[in-house]
């Protein structure tokens, strides 16, 4: 395995690369762009890279389904940390291009919903065609295949383009969440401001099946930050659920919730416990009474004393 190589969704100039470069360890790694999320993750699975940074969630468009699905299948991988990057687009063009000259535009599919209103107001007749990434869209503009691309302004210099318009976004404070993924290992120690990710498969489809899964978290006071259903590929109506929960697997409430899920589900895939991006300890919500590690330990001790006749 190459311990010094990190892969990411390329080519050069993507928001994913920008997010990766915010990690302190990135300065000491060889950063290798890949053509797709599966390619970036497969490089980790095969040992060609120590880790991969890939997008997993956007505040406007929701989950990046390719990443969600890739983490749910194949050889297991684990999330080690997350990066949240504010997203704003620039309209990149070849030098000399005017707004009235633009007939075709491109960008990543997730970008389109974030600039749809701007497009309707300023380029209502322009034809949109998706690219593999925003940076790849910039490359296609450089090659003359499109008139303009929506990408990060920082990508302009890489592809010899100019930002015709900057700071484009339909939703204020738009952001994308990225995850650094490696091979399974012992999770890092809890920080007190952590997140745990799992994929859960239903045993069978019956009334209340999803409620039964959610109750494993709810009765232990574990807050869910994201839940997304994804088809398993085994026929219409067969779904698994990708879940992010507050807390760390070593927290008693989280560990017991995962054990409860393992008892009632045919498959549970642990994707990691890792620090929440940009969240300080004083911003973490207070635990519901009865759900702290100390209270779980006290209840366990009480049960042991009852079993020994020492109550």
């Amino acid at each position: 395995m190459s311990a010094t190589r990190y892969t990411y969704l390329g080519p050069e100039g993507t928001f994913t690369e920008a997010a990766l470069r915010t990690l302190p360890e990135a300065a000491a790694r060889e950063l290798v762009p890949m053509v797709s999320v599966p390619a970036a993750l497969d490089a980790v699975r095969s040992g060609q890279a120590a880790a991969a940074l890939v997008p997993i969630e956007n505040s406007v468009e929701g989950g990046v389904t390719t990443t969600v699905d890739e983490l749910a299948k194949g050889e297991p991988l684990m999330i080690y940390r997350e990066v949240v990057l504010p997203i704003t687009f620039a309209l990149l063009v070849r030098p000399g291009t005017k707004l009235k000259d633009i007939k075709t535009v491109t960008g990543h599919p997730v970008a389109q919903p974030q600039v749809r209103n701007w497009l309707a107001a300023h380029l209502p007749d322009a034809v949109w065609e998706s690219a593999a990434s925003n940076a790849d869209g910039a490359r296609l503009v450089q090659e003359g295949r499109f008139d303009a691309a929506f990408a990060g302004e920082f990508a302009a210099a890489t592809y010899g383009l100019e930002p015709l318009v900057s700071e484009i976004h339909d939703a204020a404070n738009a952001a994308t969440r990225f995850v650094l993924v490696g091979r399974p290992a012992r999770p890092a120690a809890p920080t007190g401001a952590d997140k745990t990710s799992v994929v859960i498969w239903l045993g069978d489809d019956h009334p209340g099946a999803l409620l039964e899964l959610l109750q494993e978290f709810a009765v232990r006071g574990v807050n869910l930050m994201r839940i997304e259903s994804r088809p398993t590929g085994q026929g219409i109506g067969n779904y698994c659920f990708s879940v992010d929960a507050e807390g760390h697997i070593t927290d008693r409430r989280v560990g017991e919730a995962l054990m409860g899920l393992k008892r009632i589900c045919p498959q549970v895939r642990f994707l990691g416990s890792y620090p929440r991006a940009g969240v300080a300890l004083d911003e973490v919500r207070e635990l519901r009474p009865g759900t702290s590690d100390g209270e779980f330990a006290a209840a366990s001790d009480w049960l042991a004393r009852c079993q020994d006749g020492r109550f």
Side-chain angles (χ1 to χ4, degrees):
M1 176 183 295
S2 176
T4 61
R5 182 178 297 140
Y6 281 2
T7 55
Y8 65 91
L9 175 62
E12 293 181 7
T14 58
F15 285 108
T16 309
E17 181 188 11
L20 179 55
R21 291 189 182 278
T22 67
L23 300 179
E25 63 266 35
R29 301 292 190 273
E30 178 191 1
L31 307 184
V32 181
M34 305 297 283
V35 297
S36 66
V37 167
L41 296 177
D42 283 345
V44 179
R45 288 187 169 110
S46 67
Q48 298 175 49
L53 193 83
V54 291
I56 194 169
E57 182 182 7
N58 178 265
S59 62
V60 175
E61 188 65 0
V64 179
T65 55
T66 301
T67 301
V68 173
D69 291 346
E70 279 296 312
L71 293 177
K73 66 183 183 182
E75 185 180 344
L77 294 170
M78 197 170 91
I79 299 171
Y80 284 86
R81 62 189 303 174
E82 64 177 9
V83 178
V84 176
L85 188 73
I87 300 295
T88 184
F89 294 92
L91 187 67
L92 303 187
V93 298
R94 293 182 295 277
T97 302
K98 308 297 182 184
L99 201 63
K100 62 182 177 60
D101 301 325
I102 298 174
K103 308 301 181 186
T104 57
V105 295
T106 187
H108 191 275
V110 174
Q112 188 179 22
Q114 301 180 65
V115 299
R116 184 182 292 120
N117 293 337
W118 190 94
L119 266 174
H122 299 278
L123 293 169
D125 298 321
V127 176
W128 171 284
E129 187 173 326
S130 294
S133 68
N134 296 308
D136 192 54
R139 179 185 62 80
L140 296 173
V141 172
Q142 180 190 44
E143 295 176 356
R145 295 172 59 181
F146 294 92
D147 298 323
F150 286 97
E153 188 168 343
F154 48 79
T158 301
Y159 296 98
L161 304 178
E162 295 179 347
L164 184 61
V165 184
S166 301
E167 298 292 323
I168 300 173
H169 51 75
D170 290 349
N173 304 316
T176 295
R177 174 177 162 240
F178 303 84
V179 287
L180 186 69
V181 179
R183 295 178 67 84
R186 182 183 295 274
T191 66
D194 300 292
K195 180 182 293 184
T196 292
S197 297
V198 294
V199 183
I200 309 162
W201 280 257
L202 285 175
D204 61 86
D205 186 17
H206 61 271
L210 177 57
L211 178 60
E212 292 170 5
L213 304 185
L214 299 178
Q215 283 178 330
E216 296 295 334
F217 294 104
V219 297
R220 296 172 177 88
V222 178
N223 183 54
L224 297 188
M225 308 177 72
R226 181 184 66 87
I227 180 168
E228 182 174 354
S229 64
R230 295 297 302 154
T232 63
Q234 298 176 353
I236 296 294
N238 287 291
Y239 291 91
C240 61
F241 296 88
S242 177
V243 174
D244 293 335
E246 284 184 342
H248 194 277
I249 192 172
T250 59
D251 296 334
R252 291 285 292 269
R253 65 189 184 283
V254 176
E256 291 201 10
L258 297 185
M259 286 193 294
L261 291 169
K262 186 63 178 175
R263 288 196 302 268
I264 65 173
C265 299
Q267 185 178 356
V268 178
R269 174 170 285 198
F270 173 65
L271 294 180
S273 290
Y274 48 93
R276 293 167 57 188
V279 177
L281 285 177
D282 59 3
E283 297 176 302
V284 178
R285 72 176 71 242
E286 291 187 11
L287 295 179
R288 196 177 74 194
T291 62
S292 70
D293 277 8
E295 289 163 317
F296 269 94
S300 179
D301 180 65
W302 171 82
L303 180 61
R305 287 188 283 110
C306 289
Q307 291 171 336
D308 289 342
R310 295 182 288 113
F311 54 89

